[in-house]
Amino acid sequence: MDIVLKILTLVGSFGLFLFGVRLLGEALLKIAGKSIRHLIYAGGTTTLQGVASGCLISGVAQSSGAVSGLIVSFVNSGLITLRRALPLIMGANIGASVIIWLICFLGFQLSGELFAVPLAGLGFALILVRKERAKYLGHIIMGFALIFIGLDVMQYSFMDIAQSTIFDEILREYATISALPLIIILLAGVLLTALIRSSSATTMLAIVICVNGWMPLEAGAAMVIGNNIGTTLSANLAALDANTAGKRVAVAHTIINLVGAIYLLPLTPMLISGLSVIFSPPFVIAAFYTLFNIINVSILMNFIPIITRTVSKVIPNEPQANNRHLLVMDCGVLSTSEISIAQAENEIKSHAKRTLKMFGFVRKIFSETDEAECERLFARVEKYEQITDRVEREIINYLTQITRSDLSSAMVERVQDMFRITSHIESLADTNLAIARLLREKRAKNIWFSGEQRNNVALMMDEVRRAMECTIAYLESASDDNYDKAERTEKQINKLYYSIREEQFEGGFLVYFELLRECEKLGDSAFSIVKITKG
């Protein structure tokens, strides 16, 4: 019974450590979410800049698995290409070692248990403050406190178990064996990381085991290599519902880490021997983690085009492979509401651009004289309307799932605005279809417009196109200049509509004014999107 209690204490301490990592990562993402989005979007113009961006992102998020999962979702949405994603993933592997160094320094070098409880008190006090940034800071501090408490209890639990069981003698005898089955340890690292989905936690577990003498440093290093492979599970799980591009990123991440394991595992004893001269045991594993990924990235970054071609052959294009689907990310120990919202925002931009293209077909129907071409264009408008219906449902379902997570008040407002914007974009699509049907009715009934009527409709359509272009420009860049352009165009549409309505025309009166009214509705919906975005 006593040994069961001690083992449960060990498991509990590991759980505390894991929860601390989660709390820390989530808070950092909420504070730095906008910067992370920018880094992923920008990605750097060169491979080296992409690696640096990925390193920085992972250093903030404290999880290469979470970051790779996010990158899968971004590629899946068409926000970045496979070629740009690979350097980010490589950099994320390096950046994940930051938290390991920090914990080793504070937990082993400075005895983190001495200030862990005071840190927990400070973190709790800040969580009670009403200001959101203070709450997030409290979560960060509390996360560190739980990491140090878990690490401290974990170390003592290992020693306590060893002193009261025969495990210590067995493991110490095993630790003296020169020809270690490193592959078995590597596979254990893969399975454990895949199970708990946190390479940081598994790496710290390996460090604690090595420090207590239960496992040689070479075996700890092999477990770290296994962690690197196991952490790709997050990306592969995220890619299960992704399109072809998303699946390719996940497979590429696995290939990168697997290739590194194959050629660096035989060199592990030599690397550990050299690092042991410079660092003490806890830092040897941390240094190996960093060095392993730096060596692997330095070599494989030169083969990115080959890796890209390889995964393209392994995962060929499938029917409807270009269809993008929003993925609600679940990256193990990190929730990613901030990044998921960013993904939804970009899908909304694509949704708006689709309605502009749809209006281009409508405009061609108005000026086209060939009956067969008009029918072909009308069929395209109908198809696009069906696509916008599907995308609207997908965005709404996606946003609904996001609202179930822990959101700040600012994020809640953003999501509410996105619901309203999505509704207005769908209104744009519906109105486009209504105009196309009116033009079809006009042709079917041989309704004739005078030259002045045709000119007025053409003027309205030109202004509506400008309004929709201004809306998309404002969604891309919410500047005062873009807002002023959108506002001026909306006023021009209203002015033109009311001035034409005062005139009297014969022939096709109802269809004519219905067309003008629908065009004016397009302008109103377009500017409503701009106003909601501005807030």
Side-chain angles (χ1 to χ4, degrees), residues 264 271 275 286-296:
L264 282 173
L271 293 174
L275 292 171
F288 178 83
Y289 190 1
T290 306
L291 183 61
F292 169 84
N293 283 301
I294 289 176
I295 293 173
N296 195 34

Side-chain angles (χ1 to χ4, degrees), residues 328-456:
V328 177
M329 297 306 303
D330 176 19
C331 298
V333 297
L334 288 182
S335 70
T336 54
S337 303
E338 177 70 30
I339 307 300
S340 296
I341 289 175
Q343 186 186 347
E345 286 176 339
N346 281 276
E347 186 61 34
I348 286 172
K349 292 174 190 175
S350 298
H351 193 30
K353 291 175 183 177
R354 195 174 292 111
T355 60
L356 176 59
K357 191 172 182 179
M358 189 178 178
F359 182 73
F361 300 144
V362 173
R363 182 69 176 82
K364 287 179 180 178
I365 292 174
F366 174 70
S367 58
E368 183 59 55
T369 57
D370 182 72
E371 184 73 28
E373 180 63 15
C374 284
E375 285 301 312
R376 189 186 71 81
L377 289 168
F378 182 80
R380 295 196 72 178
V381 171
E382 283 190 315
K383 180 180 178 182
Y384 266 67
E385 205 280 331
Q386 292 170 3
I387 293 172
T388 57
D389 283 345
R390 176 185 62 77
V391 173
E392 182 199 23
R393 290 193 299 270
E394 191 173 318
I395 291 174
I396 288 174
N397 290 337
Y398 182 76
L399 293 174
T400 301
Q401 290 182 64
I402 293 175
T403 58
R404 294 170 185 162
S405 58
D406 182 25
L407 301 177
S408 66
S409 58
M411 291 166 71
V412 170
E413 289 180 9
R414 281 170 63 190
V415 172
Q416 290 173 343
D417 286 345
M418 282 190 280
F419 275 118
R420 295 166 61 201
I421 289 171
T422 302
S423 176
H424 282 293
I425 293 174
E426 181 57 28
S427 177
L428 289 175
D430 291 341
T431 307
N432 272 324
L433 181 60
I435 295 174
R437 284 172 174 167
L438 283 170
L439 293 173
R440 196 186 200 194
E441 178 187 349
K442 171 184 175 295
R443 185 178 295 273
K445 294 181 178 180
N446 292 317
I447 297 174
W448 179 83
F449 284 175
S450 68
E452 188 174 358
Q453 286 176 318
R454 289 187 62 82
N455 185 57
N456 286 338

Side-chain angles (χ1 to χ4, degrees), residues 34-106:
K34 189 174 292 185
S35 299
I36 289 175
R37 290 203 309 271
H38 175 73
L39 283 171
I40 293 179
Y41 298 157
T45 55
T46 66
T47 300
L48 194 57
Q49 288 175 344
V51 171
S53 296
C55 184
L56 188 57
I57 294 167
S58 185
V60 172
Q62 303 303 332
S63 173
S64 61
V67 173
S68 62
L70 299 177
I71 293 171
V72 167
S73 71
F74 274 60
V75 174
N76 176 78
S77 299
L79 306 181
I80 58 175
T81 63
L82 173 62
R83 175 65 181 77
R84 283 182 56 197
L86 294 187
L88 289 170
I89 283 179
M90 289 180 175
N93 285 343
I94 299 173
S97 64
V98 172
I99 187 67
I100 304 300
W101 281 97
L102 190 59
I103 294 172
C104 282
F105 181 74
L106 295 176

Side-chain angles (χ1 to χ4, degrees), residues 174-182 216:
Y174 165 77
T176 62
I177 300 175
S178 57
L180 291 170
L182 296 183

Side-chain angles (χ1 to χ4, degrees), residues 470 473-474 477-490 527-535:
C470 288
Y474 193 77
S477 176
S479 65
D480 291 338
D481 183 52
N482 284 337
Y483 182 85
D484 292 340
K485 288 179 182 177
E487 189 175 38
R488 285 196 301 270
T489 306
E490 164 67 2
F527 190 60
S528 294
I529 293 170
V530 174
K531 289 191 291 185
I532 294 170
T533 305
K534 185 177 182 181

